[in-house]
């Protein structure tokens, strides 16, 4: 789906686009105010882990918002999108009221638009590059909201388009991990006629989309619809199967798999290695979120327990931290607190999630860092010692380095602490495949733009290659890998017509 | 979905089930475990693979009723299915020909110990096995153990069977009698702790298999963390076996109780 600038420009000159451009004057477009996403009231939504916060746009809202878009000659927004969605084209379809067409434009480049519309950090990607932001210093066109609107509309209409499929070529490929990266890879390969099987270690398909990101941001049903459409395309899913443990890569080769895509994610939680960190009641965000999101521990009916507390502290400032602290609120915490060592400006979490967390009553203790945990006589954490920080010179990440303020330590009460300070690549595949080049951070090394590893028939992408990144980047990698694996397999098997 | 093809009651609270799992049967090694889940609302719990039959494609699990989840496993009948089963997990036991091995099992720990005893014997070691329990009824897998051991000693707290006394008393007798090259201990944490203290005194390298709380079993959640040699390790991927003399057993035991109140509440609810 490579599209040249030429192609984008020509599309813009199509009659229907020109008619739209003429219909409303630029000045009028610019005078429209950015839409606000309607959302459930904070006091209502914190009653359940499973009530989605954002309720989506109405068709009228979507059309009005789409009218704001100037259909720029040079749509810089597209440069901000990691998979170069044809943004003006899908938005202009919405403006015409052709929502299903808009959805199919999204699907040209993004395998899971209903997911991306909900979780992409748009303010750092497409929306940051929107003409409104760059030239007018006004709020960007709400590209993310519109994306979500189109995808939801399609799903709810029951007219989910099945993509065109190439006739089957009988070549078996295996996908290791069912996160967004593996899923988007699987979709593209199925379209190209390959016989695709996805292996997943857990009992549910979806990776972080299921066990990590809570349902109040991304309902499981939304993910399941996408998985269902992959099934209809012939993709097979095998859960409870750990490649490298349940069976080795060689076993899979013996079973006829010709190539592999590793999308095994960055599932290894980091801790801070400070005194008392192994006390009871201190857990990783992965454990906390998995217990609730995957195992349903927020419900009385689930056999899986979860720790609740009056005072819950979450350490960190990313999406994982926001998800954890808001989960704590929903599990009944009176004080749900974020402890983050930099200032709010440096927080890597999506702005919207920080905003929502604040609405829900989450306290933010920024420029604060834990240095020790203090447990009660039963070994359960009771307090944490924190230290104030100030910002010094920028470090290698370009963000100002937090420096401890001497003598500023104080004590916080807490019965539950969730550590959300980052993840490392899942070591299962790097450890079990001989001859695979792995970086010193444990990520799989690939030839950039091809996603091919040092083992020619093994491609990799998503968090296992990038470290903790984003859904859309993981998906983009999956698509890139599919394209290049196809070339590789074509050359190796199809053009030479070798016996399979 | 994995079918249960055989079931046997070892005692009121301990059940052996044989489960269809051909791939796991083929790839498992001594020391490996599985994680399973019963029912859509079920919890993921770890259980050691006590044995396997590659031809039949089955694995053996020996389960002790503790709370809701293990009770649900024990209540499954032949012909019923385990909702989810994944494995083999964990690092396998390192089996070498070392000389004389002292294998110490307590309670349901005998189940994970059995494949290890078998493997040590096969590797050419002299294997002395000590099984211990509170009373006679709780001694399991005695015959199977005897088959693969050069010597088998049974200890009960109340003297209802074998010798009266704690496992460490039996161990000390053997240690004083002959040279032991390595010791393996699997059982309740408190038992492993005392076994470890004893062998430390005699400077016998010792391995303990830890039964920490787990969720995913793939290194993703950190629920299973333990301190070994001053460093945090994940039992599921770095273990479950560790150098016993390096394990912080106090912390390990405290962490095992980490969800105690929540589990008790669930159990009360379940019994109603
Ligand atoms: C709580 C949380 C919130 C987040 N919020 C956002 C957000 O708002 N926006 C955003 O863009 N990004 C967000 N992210 C990041 C985003 O979810 C990840 O970047 C993305 O999921 C990576 O996708 P992936 O396909 O590489 O891996 P994953 O989603 O991690 O999936 C990997 C899968 O592989 C499986 N697996 C691993 N090894 C094996 C094996 N050997 N055999 C079989 N299966 C295996 C794992 O069980 C897992 O299911 C968030 C992450 C977390 C944890
Ligand atoms: C690697 C590994 C292998 C294991 N192999 C086996 C096996 O072969 N057979 C077997 O029966 N069990 C085994 N276990 C232990 C088993 O997983 C637990 O007994 C089970 O999870 C208990 O679940 P439950 O919900 O029934 O009990 P819970 O409701 O979780 O617990 C009930 C009570 O028992 C205590 N408890 C919970 N877990 C443990 C534990 N692991 N050890 C001691 N006390 C505990 C709790 O404090 C609680 O008060 C193994 C554990 C690990 C980590
Ligand atoms: S930059 Fe903004 S206004 Fe221009 S095409 Fe993209 S979304 Fe529309
Ligand atoms: S059980 Fe989750 S990391 Fe070990």
């Amino acid at each position: 789906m490579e599209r040249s600038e030429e192609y984008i420009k020509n599309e813009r000159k199509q009659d229907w686009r020109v008619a739209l451009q003429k219909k409303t004057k630029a000045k009028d477009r610019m005078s429209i105010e950015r839409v606000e996403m309607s959302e459930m009231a904070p006091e209502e939504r914190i009653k359940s882990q499973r009530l989605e916060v954002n309720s989506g746009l109405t068709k009228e809202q979507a059309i009005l918002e789409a009218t704001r878009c100037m259909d720029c000659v040079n749509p810089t927004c597209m440069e901000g999108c990691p998979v170069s969605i044809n943004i003006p084209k899908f938005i202009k379809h919405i403006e015409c009221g052709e929502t299903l067409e808009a959805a199919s434009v999204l699907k040209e480049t993004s395998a899971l638009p209903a997911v991306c519309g909900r979780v992409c950090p748009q303010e750092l990607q497409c929306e940051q590059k929107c003409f409104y932001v760059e030239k007018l210093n006004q709020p960007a066109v709400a590209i993310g909201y519109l994306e979500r609107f189109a995808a939801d509309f399609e799903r709810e209409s029951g007219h989910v388009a099945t993509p065109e499929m190439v006739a089957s070529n009988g070549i078996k490929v295996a996908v290791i991990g069912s996160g967004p990266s593996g899923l988007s890879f699987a979709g593209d390969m199925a379209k190209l006629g390959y016989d695709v099987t996805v292996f997943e270690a857990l009992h549910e398909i979806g990776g972080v989309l299921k066990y990590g990101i809570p349902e109040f941001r991304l309902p499981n049903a939304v993910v399941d619809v996408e998985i269902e459409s992959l099934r209809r395309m012939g993709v097979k899913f095998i859960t409870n199967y750990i490649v490298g443990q349940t069976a080795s890569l060689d076993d899979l080769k013996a079973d006829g798999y010709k190539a592999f895509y590793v999308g095994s994610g960055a599932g290894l939680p980091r801790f801070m290695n400070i005194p008392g960190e192994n006390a009871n009641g201190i857990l990783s965000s992965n454990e906390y979120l998995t217990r609730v999101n995957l195992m349903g521990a927020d419900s009385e009916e689930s056999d899986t327990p979860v720790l609740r507390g009056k005072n819950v502290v979450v350490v960190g400032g990313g999406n994982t931290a926001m998800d954890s602290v808001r989960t704590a609120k929903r599990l009944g915490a009176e004080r749900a607190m974020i402890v983050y060592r930099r200032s709010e400006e440096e927080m890597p979490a999506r702005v919207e999630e920080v905003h929502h967390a604040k609405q829900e009553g989450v306290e933010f203790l920024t420029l604060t860092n834990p240095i020790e945990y203090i447990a009660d006589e039963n070994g359960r954490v009771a307090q944490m010692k924190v230290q104030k920080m100030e910002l010094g010179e920028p470090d290698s990440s370009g963000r100002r380095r937090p420096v401890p303020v001497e003598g500023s330590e104080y004590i916080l009460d807490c019965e539950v602490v969730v550590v959300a300070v980052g993840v490392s690549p899942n070591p299962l595949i790097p450890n079990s495949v001989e001859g695979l080049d792995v970086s010193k951070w444990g990520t799989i090394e690939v030839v950039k733009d091809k996603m091919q590893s040092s083992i020619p028939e093994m491609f990799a992408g998503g968090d296992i290659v990038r470290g903790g990144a984003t859904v859309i980047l993981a998906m983009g990698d999956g698509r890139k890998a599919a394209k290049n694996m196809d070339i590789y397999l074509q050359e190796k098997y199809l053009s030479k017509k070798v016996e399979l | 979905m994995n079918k249960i093809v055989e079931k046997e009651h070892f005692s009121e609270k301990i059940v052996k089930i044989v489960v269809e799992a051909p791939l796991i049967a083929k790839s498992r090694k001594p020391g490996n475990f599985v994680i399973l889940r019963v029912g859509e609302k079920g919890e993921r719990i770890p259980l050691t693979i006590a044995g396997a039959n590659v031809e039949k494609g089955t694995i053996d699990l020996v389960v002790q009723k503790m709370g809701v989840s293990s009770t649900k496993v024990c209540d499954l009948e032949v012909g019923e299915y385990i909702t989810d089963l994944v494995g083999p997990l964990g690092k396998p036991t390192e089996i070498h020909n070392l000389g004389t091995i002292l294998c110490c099992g307590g309670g349901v720990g005998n189940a994970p110990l059995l494949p290890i005893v078998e493997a040590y014997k096969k590797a050419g070691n002299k294997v002395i096995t000590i099984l211990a329990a509170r009373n006679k009824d709780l001694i399991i897998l005695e015959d199977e153990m005897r088959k693969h051991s050069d010597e088998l000693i049974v200890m009960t707290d109340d003297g209802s069977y074998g010798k009266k006394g704690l496992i460490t008393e039996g161990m000390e007798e053997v240690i004083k009698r002959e040279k032991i090259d390595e010791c393996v201990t699997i059982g309740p944490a408190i038992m492993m702790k005392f076994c470890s203290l004893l062998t430390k005194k005699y400077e016998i390298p010792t391995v303990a298999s830890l039964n920490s709380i787990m969720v995913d079993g793939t290194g993703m959640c950190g629920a299973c963390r333990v301190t070994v040699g001053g460093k945090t390790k994940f039992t599921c991927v770095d273990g479950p076996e560790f150098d016993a003399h390096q394990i912080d057993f106090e912390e390990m035991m405290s962490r095992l109780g980490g969800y105690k109140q929540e589990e008790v509440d669930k159990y009360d609810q379940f019994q109603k």
Side-chain angles (χ1 to χ4, degrees):
Chain A
M1 228 65 65
E2 213 56 25
R3 289 156 318 173
S4 61
E5 251 171 61
E6 238 351 85
Y7 173 78
I8 304 280
K9 296 232 146 61
N10 285 335
E11 275 203 316
R12 192 179 169 277
K13 288 186 203 138
Q14 286 179 347
D15 294 346
W16 70 276
R17 293 274 284 272
V18 174
L20 266 191
Q21 287 150 17
K22 286 195 179 140
K23 202 174 113 197
T24 314
K25 286 207 216 67
K27 211 176 91 219
D28 293 336
R29 294 184 187 273
M30 284 189 291
S31 67
I32 304 169
E33 256 178 62
R34 180 177 154 122
V35 68
E36 292 222 5
M37 176 67 86
S38 47
E39 56 194 32
M40 192 175 286
E43 52 284 358
E44 271 309 304
R45 69 196 193 217
I46 61 167
K47 289 182 187 159
S48 160
Q49 178 78 3
R50 321 247 160 203
L51 291 172
E52 194 175 7
V53 170
N54 284 336
S55 21
L57 302 180
T58 61
K59 190 158 181 185
E60 292 69 36
Q61 281 178 310
I63 291 175
L64 192 61
E65 182 63 25
T67 311
R68 289 184 71 217
C69 168
M70 311 287 252
D71 202 358
C72 302
V73 180
N74 176 18
T76 41
C77 49
M78 286 182 64
E79 292 163 17
C81 172
V83 296
S84 313
I85 286 179
N86 194 337
I87 292 169
K89 185 176 175 191
F90 99 81
I91 293 184
K92 291 299 121 184
H93 273 304
I94 293 179
E95 192 183 336
C96 297
E98 301 162 352
T99 319
L100 289 176
E101 284 81 351
S104 75
V105 173
L106 290 169
K107 288 223 168 146
E108 285 171 16
T109 49
S110 164
L112 311 165
V115 173
C116 297
R118 283 173 170 79
V119 304
C120 270
Q122 289 99 3
E123 77 271 11
L124 301 177
Q125 298 178 353
C126 51
E127 292 186 14
Q128 190 180 50
K129 296 251 163 153
C130 173
F131 171 75
Y132 278 84
V133 173
E134 292 210 313
K135 294 280 167 0
L136 304 176
N137 202 17
Q138 282 182 26
V141 170
I143 302 171
Y145 291 171
L146 291 173
E147 180 176 6
R148 171 189 161 143
F149 167 76
D152 284 358
F153 183 92
E154 184 195 39
R155 191 178 65 251
E156 285 155 16
S157 74
H159 294 288
V160 181
T162 345
E164 265 176 60
M165 313 264 299
V166 173
S168 163
N169 60 25
I171 297 183
K172 278 167 82 172
V173 297
V175 183
I176 303 167
S178 68
S181 200
L183 293 180
S184 75
F185 171 87
D188 275 14
M189 288 304 270
K191 270 188 240 171
L192 292 167
Y194 291 90
D195 179 355
V196 186
T197 305
V198 179
F199 295 92
E200 169 56 50
L202 293 171
H203 58 267
E204 278 267 1
I205 303 294
V208 174
L209 305 181
K210 280 279 180 65
Y211 76 71
I213 303 179
E215 291 214 72
F216 57 77
R217 277 214 291 138
L218 177 63
N220 286 346
V222 170
V223 185
D224 284 335
V225 169
E226 312 280 6
I227 293 164
E228 210 33 61
S229 68
L230 290 176
R231 278 213 172 91
R232 274 203 309 276
M233 289 162 65
V235 175
K236 285 168 257 180
F237 291 96
I238 301 184
T239 51
N240 296 310
Y241 192 114
I242 306 181
V243 176
Q245 304 255 59
T246 307
S248 68
L249 215 59
D250 287 334
D251 293 327
L252 290 177
K253 283 183 193 163
D255 269 353
Y257 290 96
K258 299 289 182 228
F260 302 87
Y261 179 69
V262 187
S264 56
L268 187 69
R270 284 199 209 127
F271 288 93
M272 294 172 67
N273 301 317
I274 55 179
E277 206 175 22
N278 286 348
N280 284 315
I282 304 178
L283 49 166
S284 75
S285 51
N286 274 353
E287 178 181 353
Y288 193 60
L289 293 170
T290 301
R291 282 179 182 273
V292 176
N293 298 329
L294 185 73
M295 306 306 299
D298 53 315
S299 140
E300 287 286 307
E301 271 110 72
S302 166
D303 294 343
T304 304
V306 66
L307 297 174
R308 295 172 198 246
K310 223 162 74 179
N311 304 290
V312 181
V313 174
V314 175
V315 184
N319 286 316
T320 325
M322 294 310 135
D323 286 345
S324 303
V325 78
R326 296 171 70 196
T327 295
K329 200 79 206 173
R330 284 158 175 78
L331 292 178
E334 283 170 25
R335 287 188 80 187
M337 295 165 266
I338 285 282
V339 163
Y340 180 58
R341 65 192 182 127
R342 300 180 200 249
S343 72
E344 195 179 317
E345 229 155 83
E346 285 87 19
M347 279 195 176
R350 295 179 70 214
V351 170
E352 182 173 321
E353 310 315 332
V354 175
H355 171 68
H356 281 156
K358 284 189 174 163
Q359 285 181 333
E360 289 161 11
V362 169
E363 294 169 51
F364 282 73
L365 311 178
T366 51
L367 289 168
T368 305
N369 204 31
I371 50 176
E372 186 183 341
Y373 295 101
I374 301 146
D376 66 13
E377 66 282 2
N378 299 320
R380 171 90 182 247
V381 67
Q383 293 176 315
M384 71 199 277
K385 192 190 273 181
V386 297
Q387 186 172 40
K388 290 272 198 186
M389 309 290 277
E390 58 193 10
L391 292 180
E393 295 300 305
D395 62 13
S396 58
S397 75
R399 298 180 300 177
R400 292 176 62 193
R401 187 194 299 277
V403 188
V405 179
E406 288 308 321
S408 65
E409 296 87 356
Y410 67 100
I411 299 284
L412 269 179
D413 287 336
C414 51
E415 302 84 46
V416 177
V417 175
V418 180
V419 182
V421 296
V423 284
S424 302
N426 185 311
L428 284 171
I429 293 293
N431 287 349
S432 71
V433 181
E434 243 173 85
L436 184 65
D437 283 354
V438 177
S439 77
K440 66 176 177 202
W441 299 280
T443 52
I444 296 179
E445 307 243 30
V446 293
V447 178
K448 236 177 129 204
D449 297 329
K450 271 189 164 177
M451 313 313 292
Q452 191 168 24
S453 76
S454 56
I455 296 174
E457 69 274 21
M458 183 178 270
F459 290 64
D463 284 3
I464 188 66
V465 165
R466 298 169 176 270
T470 61
V471 170
I472 190 77
L473 288 169
M475 287 176 29
D477 287 353
R479 307 204 62 211
K480 219 182 281 171
K483 190 175 137 205
N484 288 288
M485 188 190 282
D486 178 41
I487 296 171
Y488 168 81
L489 291 171
Q490 291 274 358
E491 270 175 19
K492 193 160 171 189
Y493 298 104
L494 297 175
S495 56
K496 294 182 198 143
K497 296 261 177 277
V498 294
E499 281 298 306
L500 282 175
Chain B
M1 297 282 268
N2 303 67
K3 191 166 161 185
I4 298 185
V5 291
E6 272 175 58
K7 180 175 176 180
E8 182 184 341
H9 283 270
F10 282 166
S11 71
E12 193 203 331
K13 291 217 163 219
I14 304 178
V15 171
K16 174 182 159 183
I17 50 175
V18 179
V19 185
E20 267 177 9
L23 291 175
I24 302 176
K26 208 163 85 183
S27 51
R28 71 97 202 192
K29 296 207 174 68
N32 282 145
F33 62 97
V34 292
I35 284 193
L36 56 74
R37 191 174 79 115
V38 179
E40 282 309 317
K41 306 269 186 251
E43 180 180 18
R44 294 170 65 94
I45 61 163
L47 295 170
T48 309
I49 305 168
N53 184 323
V54 181
E55 285 82 55
K56 289 191 186 146
T58 59
I59 57 171
D60 307 342
L61 303 175
V62 177
V63 198
Q64 180 172 29
K65 283 191 193 180
M66 302 282 301
V68 181
S69 306
S70 47
T71 303
K72 282 190 176 171
V73 180
C74 292
D75 288 352
L76 288 173
E77 300 299 339
V78 171
E80 291 188 305
Y81 289 84
I82 291 175
T83 318
D84 292 292
L85 178 74
V86 64
L89 300 166
K91 286 192 177 153
T93 314
E94 283 180 35
I95 306 280
H96 301 289
N97 187 346
L98 297 167
T100 305
I101 314 288
L102 184 58
C103 294
C104 311
V108 74
N110 291 357
L113 190 61
L114 179 62
I116 296 172
V117 165
E118 228 180 300
Y120 268 122
K121 185 68 210 158
K122 226 187 237 159
N125 294 285
K126 175 178 177 192
V127 178
I128 303 170
T129 303
I130 310 185
L131 305 181
R134 277 193 314 268
N135 61 52
K136 179 173 196 269
D137 291 343
L138 297 174
I139 295 289
I140 60 166
L141 298 169
E142 185 188 342
D143 294 342
E144 290 84 345
M145 287 284 193
R146 196 179 297 280
K147 206 167 100 193
H148 302 288
S149 309
D150 293 273
E151 185 184 348
L152 185 105
I153 300 165
V154 175
M155 308 285 302
T156 49
D157 291 9
D158 64 357
S160 51
Y161 187 57
K163 287 188 191 165
K164 182 171 162 39
L166 296 172
I167 195 161
T168 40
E169 295 168 36
M171 289 167 70
E172 197 151 19
E173 230 170 79
V174 177
I175 292 169
K176 284 190 169 150
R177 188 184 74 198
E178 63 187 287
K179 182 175 175 294
I180 301 296
D181 296 289
E182 188 166 295
C183 173
V184 180
T185 169
I186 310 185
I190 185 84
M191 174 203 117
M192 293 192 282
K193 177 186 159 182
F194 282 105
C195 291
S196 162
L197 286 173
L198 179 78
T199 56
K200 196 167 185 175
K201 192 170 97 187
Y202 290 99
E203 294 177 7
I204 302 167
T206 299
V207 172
S209 176
L210 302 185
N211 53 338
S212 49
I213 289 172
M214 295 189 175
V215 183
D216 59 303
T218 63
M220 184 265 275
C221 75
C224 62
R225 59 197 198 276
V226 285
T227 302
V228 181
K231 291 211 178 77
T232 296
K233 298 274 176 188
F234 288 2
T235 306
C236 66
V237 284
D238 301 321
E241 289 164 20
F242 294 102
D243 175 351
H245 299 155
Q246 303 287 323
I247 296 168
D248 182 343
F249 278 105
E250 295 306 319
E251 181 192 275
M252 143 93 196
M253 286 188 282
S254 163
R255 286 188 63 79
L256 263 183
Y259 287 87
K260 191 158 189 158
Q261 192 52 51
E262 287 76 9
E263 296 283 12
V264 170
D265 293 348
K266 292 269 182 212
Y267 196 64
D268 291 346
Q269 212 179 306
F270 174 64
Q271 298 225 298
K272 270 181 209 148

